[in-house]
Amino acid sequence: MNRFKSLDIFRGFTVAAMILVNNPGNYHHVYPQLEHSAWHGCTFTDLIFPFFLFAVGNSMAFSLKKIEEIPSAVFLKKISKRFLLLFLIGFLLNIFPFVEWNSQHQLEWLPMEKYRYFGVLQRIALCYFCSALLIYYLKDKGAVITSIFLLLFYWLICYIANPNDPYSLEGWFGTAFDVKLFGASHLYHGEGKAFDPEDIWSAPAAISQTVFGYITGKYIIQRLAGKKELIRLFAWGLALIVAGYLWSFAFPINKKIWTSSYCLFTTGIALAFLSLLIYLIEFLKIKGPLYSVFDDFGKNTLFIYCLSGIVPSLCALILIPNTKQNLWDFSYHAIFGNWTNQALGSVLFALFFVFLNCLVALFLRKKNIYIKI
């Protein structure tokens, strides 16, 4: 098995799930598992971003397959270019469409003080860059040891910075640095205050997660020849789930500050889920109705993710005459807003949007268009 289709399906599933949870019809009516934990804990939604980073690591195992043969200058140029492009795309997505409606219902340029620097693609860029450096200069074993050190170091820093209240929204150390360095207005405010879940201070565990994804991808490419190796991979997943859960009693599982226990716990779930996909797809050769859907998403991951962010932003600019709604909200209320079960209507609208993105992914695959950086 030289090419594991299950890795593409895993990546495609993750993108589809991210579109689903990012685009409910009504943010006030969402099933608990389709939104992030209020703080500590782990829902289905909390699994998606770590799955994404784990998949980035898997992909690196292919793109950097002969990493030891790449000259240092060429390697640094390659990963720096990808880092800068990803970061820039993420930043532009944050501020797109660059204008907003003011209180007089007039469009005005988004003021620079509202520009958010961090975001999903920015974190992916940072994790890709740092994990690639670790793998290139420290080799596989050194990268894994360093990743474990980062998990322990992050735990230590969180505790030392504020021993009385290290893991709360108010007590976590990173926010104070973010406010001083970048300014409160440039941070995420989804928690009701300036706090950015994708900043640089909570990145150590996320970088480790990307390294673990790379090691997993390399193991699959080089060693996974039968069920024995697959069982070993699944067992590692279960072991990491248990380790993350036990660690959570001292260092709570928390996506928003990306705790080390959260890293281990979600990496374990990713490993177990990927093992199941490998068994079903590579060994049993099962291709259900969702196989092609996730495969299409997996082939144009970055483009589809960006598109799924651009379309709602553009729809929010279009105001419907004689209503107080933009096109996005109007579409939801016109199709699903009158459902008695509003949470069901909200998720059906999100699924409808996933379906529209699926059509785009299908079109790109039919035209043999694969957009990568």
Side-chain angles (χ1 to χ4, degrees):
M1 285 180 269
N2 295 321
R3 177 65 182 179
F4 283 80
K5 201 65 180 176
S6 46
L7 296 174
D8 296 329
I9 302 301
F10 179 88
R11 185 168 60 251
F13 165 83
T14 303
V15 175
M18 185 170 281
I19 296 171
L20 173 70
V21 302
N22 282 349
N23 298 281
N26 189 331
Y27 281 96
H28 299 293
H29 298 281
V30 181
Y31 289 113
Q33 287 297 317
L34 296 181
E35 57 183 350
H36 291 294
S37 300
W39 194 247
H40 298 323
C42 186
T43 65
F44 170 78
T45 300
D46 292 322
L47 295 176
I48 295 172
F49 199 176
F51 273 33
F52 215 133
L53 289 180
F54 188 79
V56 169
N58 291 164
S59 298
M60 288 171 59
F62 288 91
S63 62
L64 302 177
K65 188 178 293 186
K66 297 181 179 180
I67 189 172
E68 66 279 353
E69 299 178 8
I70 305 175
S72 180
V74 175
F75 172 78
L76 289 174
K77 181 179 179 180
K78 177 180 180 179
I79 66 170
S80 297
K81 178 183 176 182
R82 185 165 293 178
F83 165 76
L84 292 172
L85 284 173
L86 276 174
F87 198 97
L88 178 61
I89 293 170
F91 173 72
L92 291 176
L93 279 177
N94 280 353
I95 63 176
F96 184 85
F98 318 117
V99 294
E100 63 180 0
W101 291 104
N102 60 24
S103 57
Q104 286 76 43
H105 300 289
Q106 297 174 327
L107 283 176
E108 63 181 15
W109 291 109
L110 183 70
M112 291 187 65
E113 59 265 22
K114 289 188 178 182
Y115 286 10
R116 183 189 172 202
Y117 298 140
F118 301 111
V120 170
L121 289 183
Q122 294 92 313
R123 168 150 291 188
I124 291 174
L126 179 64
C127 290
Y128 165 80
F129 183 77
C130 292
S131 57
L133 289 177
L134 291 176
I135 293 161
Y136 185 79
Y137 289 106
L138 301 181
K139 310 307 178 187
D140 293 358
K141 184 177 181 180
V144 171
I145 292 173
T146 303
S147 297
I148 295 172
F149 169 80
L150 286 174
L151 296 178
L152 295 170
F153 177 74
Y154 180 49
W155 183 28
L156 179 65
I157 290 298
C158 284
Y159 183 78
I160 289 178
N162 185 6
N164 295 322
D165 188 25
Y167 314 127
S168 71
L169 175 61
E170 294 76 18
W172 183 67
F173 78 95
T175 300
F177 287 103
D178 286 335
V179 171
K180 289 180 181 178
L181 289 174
F182 307 108
S185 66
H186 296 292
L187 304 179
Y188 183 68
H189 283 75
E191 306 301 323
K193 60 174 290 185
F195 163 78
D196 210 302
E198 279 89 43
D199 71 348
I200 59 176
W201 311 108
S202 59
I207 293 168
S208 299
Q209 195 141 36
T210 311
V211 171
F212 296 151
Y214 169 83
I215 296 299
T216 300
K218 193 166 182 180
Y219 174 86
I220 291 171
I221 294 169
Q222 295 184 350
R223 299 187 183 183
L224 205 161
K227 292 183 179 179
K228 179 180 177 181
E229 293 81 10
L230 183 61
I231 292 172
R232 185 177 296 131
L233 194 69
F234 184 76
W236 268 108
L238 296 182
L240 288 176
I241 292 172
V242 172
Y245 176 73
L246 293 176
W247 199 351
S248 72
F249 288 97
F251 194 14
I253 291 173
N254 188 305
K255 184 265 176 191
K256 293 176 181 177
I257 58 173
W258 213 289
T259 57
S260 301
S261 58
Y262 170 72
C263 168
L264 292 187
F265 185 74
T266 55
T267 297
I269 296 175
L271 268 171
F273 180 56
L274 180 57
S275 299
L276 178 62
L277 286 179
I278 292 173
Y279 179 69
L280 295 174
I281 295 170
E282 316 296 348
F283 288 86
L284 298 185
K285 306 297 182 183
I286 293 176
K287 295 184 178 181
L290 293 177
Y291 177 91
S292 295
V293 172
F294 294 145
D295 189 32
D296 291 344
F297 275 129
K299 282 183 167 65
N300 277 292
T301 304
L302 178 62
F303 178 80
I304 294 298
Y305 172 78
C306 292
L307 182 68
S308 70
I310 290 172
V311 170
S313 296
L314 287 176
C315 289
L317 282 183
I318 303 172
L319 299 183
I320 304 301
N322 303 318
T323 74
K324 295 182 179 181
Q325 297 176 336
N326 59 48
L327 179 58
W328 183 262
D329 294 334
F330 179 81
S331 299
Y332 160 68
H333 286 287
I335 304 173
F336 300 105
N338 294 323
W339 286 55
T340 303
N341 186 333
Q342 294 187 57
L344 178 59
S346 183
V347 73
L348 287 175
F349 179 81
L351 285 169
F352 176 69
F353 186 58
V354 173
F355 171 72
L356 295 180
N357 281 273
C358 174
L359 295 180
V360 176
L362 174 62
F363 172 81
L364 293 174
R365 193 247 302 169
K366 293 286 188 180
K367 296 296 183 179
N368 289 316
I369 301 172
Y370 305 109
I371 302 169
K372 301 180 185 296
I373 61 171

